[in-house]
Amino acid sequence: MYIYAIGTINKQKIGVSNNVAQRLATLQTGNSEKLSIHSTIEIEDDVAFRFEKFVHHDQAHKRILGEWFDMNDTEVKTLFTYYEITLDTLLMQLY
């Protein structure tokens, strides 16, 4: 399972999927703006949705609507790098 950031230059959808490329294709359908995969973190299935919920809560101040966030591609790459480096510590906090 992966947590991903898919979006445009200035907005990102943060979610989880087993197949990020397929998720990109699904999201691109009906979206007039070109979407790209900006970041992914491989994560164990049993904690993926809990971690997604944590990320959504952690970034609530940037939420546009639902799982879409007001972040540029550089911001989300930096954020995901931080999450990846601190993943073990963050996951311990979720239990």
Side-chain angles (χ1 to χ4, degrees):
M1 181 85 61
Y2 297 88
I3 186 161
Y4 63 79
I6 292 175
T8 64
I9 292 173
N10 292 313
K11 65 182 174 185
Q12 309 299 319
K13 181 179 188 315
I14 297 174
V16 294
S17 178
N18 284 317
N19 185 331
V20 180
Q22 180 60 45
R23 187 66 179 129
L24 170 63
T26 301
L27 290 170
Q28 188 62 70
T29 301
N31 196 318
S32 63
E33 296 181 74
K34 172 82 170 122
L35 301 177
S36 300
I37 299 168
H38 290 135
S39 201
T40 62
I41 299 172
E42 190 168 6
I43 190 165
E44 296 294 325
D45 292 3
D46 61 331
V47 294
F49 292 102
R50 219 174 316 161
F51 187 66
E52 175 192 31
K53 186 175 180 178
F54 164 80
V55 173
H56 289 173
H57 179 75
D58 188 48
Q59 297 303 308
H61 62 285
K62 293 189 173 255
R63 186 182 311 273
I64 298 169
L65 181 66
E67 296 185 338
W68 287 89
F69 296 84
D70 182 20
M71 285 183 215
N72 66 43
D73 54 340
T74 303
E75 284 177 288
V76 80
K77 288 174 188 174
T78 301
L79 180 67
F80 270 52
T81 298
Y82 167 75
Y83 286 150
E84 193 162 29
I85 291 168
T86 61
L87 187 59
D88 290 339
T89 303
L90 292 171
L91 290 176
M92 282 191 282
Q93 295 173 10
L94 297 178
Y95 290 105

